Amino acid sequence: MDLAGQLTSYLYQYFDNATFLILAALGLILIYGMMGVINMAHGELMMIGAYVATYSYHAGLPIPLAVLCAGIAAGLAGIVMELLIVRHFYNQLLSSLVVTWGLSLVLSQGALLILGPSTLNMPTPLGSFSVGGFSFGVYRMAMTVVAVLLMAGIWILLRWTRFGNQAQATIENPRMAAALGIDTRWIYTTTFAIGAALGGVAGGMLAMTTAVSPFFGQGYTAVAFITVVLGGGANALVGLAVAAGYLSGVQTLLSVMVNQYLGYVSLFAAAFVALLVMPSGISDFLERRRSRKVQR
Amino acid sequence: MMCSKIGLSSVVSGYGRVRIVDGVSTEVAPGEIVAVIGRNGVGKTTLMKTLIGEVPVKSGEIRLNGRDIGGLTAPRRARLGIGYVPQGRGIFSRLSVAANLGLGVGVGDAARSNFDRVFEFFPILEKRLQQPAGSMSGGEQQQLAIARILVGNPQVMLLDEPSEGIQPSIVQEIGRTIRRLRDQQDLTIIIVEQNLSLIQAVADRCLVMDRGRIIAEVRPDALNDPALAKEYLAI
Ligand SMILES: Nc1ncnc2c1ncn2[C@@H]1O[C@H](COP(=O)(O)OP(=O)(O)OP(=O)(O)O)[C@@H](O)[C@H]1O
Ligand SMILES: [Mg+2]
C-alpha cells in the first residue's frame, strides 16, 4: 500500500470529521457560552440553511452567494425564535432544552408538511485530486478552511469590536452592563441571530455533501450537542477547537481501525470519558487551571 | 423644587411582592453630595438599584431634572446621565481595564465622552490599560468602577459603599477624588456609606435609612456623637 496516500487519507478524514463537528457546533456553542441556553433546534436552523442554499443554487445563484443566503435566512429565523421563545429561557438550561427541542420538532415536521418528504441534492463543487490511489474532495478541504475562518471571525468579533466587549460584559454581568447603557436585550438577540446564521451557513455548506430533507438537521444536533457540552461555555472557541480536535481524533482512529459506525459511536464514548474527567467541559477546566497558575 | 437635580416622591420598590424601599421622598440639589446611611439590610442598596432601574418602581416618582424617569429601563437612565457604581464594584473581570473603561461611554451623552478626564483623576489606570480588570486590587477596581462612569458624561453619580473592603489610605484618596469630581465636573452624588471618616470627608448631609424609609436627616459632623453613630451606622 502507498504510505503517503494512506497518511494523507487519515489526515483528510481527521480534518473532515473535525470540520463537521465545528460547523455543526460553532453557532450552538456561541449561544451556549453567551446565554446559557442550548438550542436543540440548531439542527433545524441548519436545515433551513440547507434548503435555502439548495433552492438559491438551483435558481442560479453562485455557490458562495447561496451559502450567504442560507446564513441570512437562518439568522432571520433565529431572530424570530429569540424574540418569541428563547428570550424567556436564558440561563435556564433545562427549560431551554425542552422548549427548543419542541421547537425543533415543530420546524422539522413543518418542513415535512410544506416541502414534502423527498430529498433535494446539490452537486459537490470543486472536484477532487488523488494521492497514491486515494481520492480527495477539494470541497471538503475548502469547508475546513471556511470553518477555521468562521472561528477566527468570531474570535475577532468578540475580542476586538465594541459589540464583542458589550457582549462579553453582558455575559459576565448583565445588570451592570445595562446600568452602563448597554441594551442587553439587543445584545442577546443579535448574538442569537449570529449563532443561528452560523448554523445556516453550516447547513448551506453541508448541503453540498449530502441530501437535503426535512430531517437534515437531526443528524447534526446530537454531535453538535456533545461537542458543545464537552467544549463548555467558559471560553467557547477554545473549548470548541479542543473538543472537536479530540473527538475527531477518536472517531477517525476507530473509523480507520474498525468501521464508520463504530467511529461514530465512539464520539459519544469519548465525550463520556472526557466529561468524567472534566465535568463542566474543557474550556472551564482550562480556565480553572489557568487561574490557579495566576494565583501561584 | 424645580431646581433639584434628582427628586424622589414616595418611592416604593422591592423584590417580588416584598416592599424593601417603602416610601422614600427626598430632593438632591445640583452639585450636592448626599450620603445615605443606615444599618445592614435596611434597603440602601435596593434604593440605589431602584434609582438606576435595576429594581422596578412599584409606586411613586423618580425625577431627573424634573422629568419622571421611574418607568425607564436602566440603559435609558444611564444614557440620560446617571452613573452607577454598585456595591462590589461591578467590574467585568475578564475584560481589560481599557475595555471596561470603553464601556462607560454609554453613560450620558456618548458624543461628550472623554478618556483624558479620567486619567487626570485616576492616573494609575493609564498604566494598567491592558491588564485584565479582575487581576487588580480592590482599591484599583473601585477606582476603575468610578473612572468607567466618568468616561461617559454623567450628571448624577450613585456610589454604593465605595470603601467596602479597601484599605484606609485608598479610602481617603477616593474621598478626595469624589470631592474634586463634584467641584470640577458639576456632579451630583448620592453615596451609600458606612465608613464614618469617608462620610465626613465628602457628604454635605446624611439621610438616615431604616426599614425602607428615611427616618432622619443629620449633618455629617453630628455623627461625631458616638451614640448617634452607633444608632445610625452598622459597625
Ligand atoms: N435580590 C433580592 N431578592 C430578595 N430580597 C433581597 C434581594 N436583595 C436584597 N434583598 C433583601 O432586601 C433587604 C434590603 O437589602 P439591601 O441590600 O438593600 O440592604 P442594604 O441596606 O444595602 O444592606 P448592606 O448594608 O448590608 O449593604 C434585605 O432584607 C435583603 O435580604
Ligand atoms: Mg448594600
Side-chain angles (χ1 to χ4, degrees), chain B residues 110-185:
Chain B
R112 294 178 55 192
S113 65
N114 182 346
F115 283 84
D116 296 338
R117 169 167 67 209
V118 168
F119 299 134
E120 188 190 316
F121 283 99
F122 300 100
I124 51 155
L125 295 178
E126 197 166 8
K127 302 187 199 97
R128 309 256 167 153
L129 286 175
Q130 298 315 317
Q131 190 175 328
S135 68
M136 297 203 303
S137 74
E140 289 166 342
Q141 288 189 17
Q142 187 64 59
Q143 298 185 54
L144 174 58
I146 299 172
R148 184 169 64 184
I149 300 306
L150 217 59
V151 163
N153 179 43
Q155 303 182 41
V156 175
M157 189 150 83
L158 308 175
L159 295 172
D160 196 348
E161 302 213 23
S163 74
E164 196 176 51
I166 292 171
Q167 67 186 68
S169 65
I170 308 280
V171 171
Q172 276 193 3
E173 193 185 319
I174 288 176
R176 278 194 297 275
T177 309
I178 290 172
R179 278 213 88 101
R180 270 177 65 212
L181 281 174
R182 185 267 298 274
D183 295 341
Q184 294 171 25
Q185 303 294 319

Side-chain angles (χ1 to χ4, degrees), chain B residues 44-45 87 160-161 192:
Chain B
K44 304 182 297 293
T45 294
Q87 192 167 11
D160 196 348
E161 302 213 23
V192 170

Side-chain angles (χ1 to χ4, degrees), chain A residues 276-295:
Chain A
L276 284 180
V277 183
M278 303 171 280
S280 52
I282 290 171
S283 60
D284 204 66
F285 180 77
L286 294 176
E287 187 91 344
R288 257 187 257 151
R289 273 188 43 162
R290 202 180 61 175
S291 56
R292 222 179 296 149
K293 235 180 250 157
V294 169
Q295 273 165 24

Side-chain angles (χ1 to χ4, degrees), chain A residues 159 162 164-166 168-170 172-184 233-235 287 294, chain B residues 49 52 54 74-75 78-79 82 84 86 89-95 99 102-107 148-149:
Chain A
R159 183 76 178 72
R162 186 166 144 77
N165 276 342
Q166 293 187 336
Q168 292 198 54
T170 304
E172 189 171 332
N173 186 346
R175 290 175 180 187
M176 190 65 231
L180 291 171
I182 297 169
D183 188 343
T184 52
N235 187 336
E287 187 91 344
V294 169
Chain B
K49 287 182 176 174
I52 188 62
E54 192 175 314
R79 276 175 235 136
I82 301 188
Y84 177 45
R89 302 161 199 131
I91 286 303
F92 302 113
S93 57
R94 297 176 54 169
L95 293 178
L103 290 170
V105 300
V107 177
R148 184 169 64 184
I149 300 306

Side-chain angles (χ1 to χ4, degrees), chain A:
Chain A
M1 239 187 234
D2 181 345
L3 191 64
Q6 193 76 56
L7 280 178
T8 316
S9 148
Y10 292 159
L11 266 181
Y12 174 84
Q13 281 185 55
Y14 176 77
F15 282 111
D16 194 44
N17 287 331
T19 300
F20 180 87
L21 294 175
I22 288 173
L23 284 179
L26 181 58
L28 198 63
I29 203 166
L30 181 72
I31 291 168
Y32 174 59
M34 298 261 309
M35 308 182 245
V37 162
I38 288 196
N39 178 17
M40 293 300 274
H42 193 70
E44 276 57 46
L45 290 167
M46 293 174 70
M47 177 266 289
I48 291 173
Y51 270 106
V52 169
T54 312
Y55 283 127
S56 14
Y57 171 76
H58 288 303
L61 280 189
I63 281 168
L65 275 187
V67 171
L68 191 68
C69 287
I72 291 171
L76 292 175
I79 291 178
V80 174
M81 243 160 104
E82 200 274 347
L83 289 178
L84 295 182
I85 298 166
V86 178
R87 126 158 330 173
H88 305 289
F89 298 95
Y90 283 137
N91 296 314
Q92 303 173 37
L93 189 54
L94 218 52
S95 320
S96 74
L97 278 171
V98 174
V99 169
T100 56
W101 185 52
L103 198 61
S104 91
L105 294 180
V106 170
L107 287 173
S108 53
Q109 295 294 337
L112 183 62
L113 267 179
I114 297 167
L115 303 167
S118 60
T119 61
L120 296 179
N121 281 293
M122 263 167 106
T124 306
L126 298 178
S128 62
F129 65 96
S130 51
V131 177
F134 291 86
S135 166
F136 304 104
V138 176
Y139 178 70
R140 297 235 167 196
M141 300 173 82
M143 284 209 309
T144 303
V145 173
V146 172
V148 171
L149 289 179
L150 287 176
M151 286 184 71
I154 294 298
W155 183 77
I156 289 169
L157 179 75
L158 290 180
R159 183 76 178 72
W160 296 108
T161 66
R162 186 166 144 77
F163 172 82
N165 276 342
Q166 293 187 336
Q168 292 198 54
T170 304
I171 313 175
E172 189 171 332
N173 186 346
R175 290 175 180 187
M176 190 65 231
L180 291 171
I182 297 169
D183 188 343
T184 52
R185 291 210 154 180
W186 185 82
I187 296 279
Y188 283 137
T189 307
T190 310
T191 309
F192 196 86
I194 292 171
L198 287 169
V201 166
M205 291 201 304
L206 290 163
M208 284 168 255
T209 67
T210 179
V212 178
S213 75
F215 301 102
F216 176 89
Q218 291 183 351
Y220 298 102
T221 304
V223 287
F225 182 74
I226 60 161
T227 310
V228 167
V229 170
L230 181 56
N235 187 336
L237 287 174
V238 175
L240 176 61
V242 178
Y246 161 71
L247 291 175
S248 159
V250 175
Q251 184 189 11
T252 309
L253 209 65
L254 277 147
S255 302
V256 167
M257 292 193 328
V258 192
N259 59 32
Q260 289 267 329
Y261 172 74
L262 211 71
Y264 187 73
V265 172
S266 72
L267 274 182
F268 297 87
F272 175 77
V273 172
L275 283 170
L276 284 180
V277 183
M278 303 171 280
S280 52
I282 290 171
S283 60
D284 204 66
F285 180 77
L286 294 176
E287 187 91 344
R288 257 187 257 151
R289 273 188 43 162
R290 202 180 61 175
S291 56
R292 222 179 296 149
K293 235 180 250 157
V294 169
Q295 273 165 24
R296 253 187 237 140

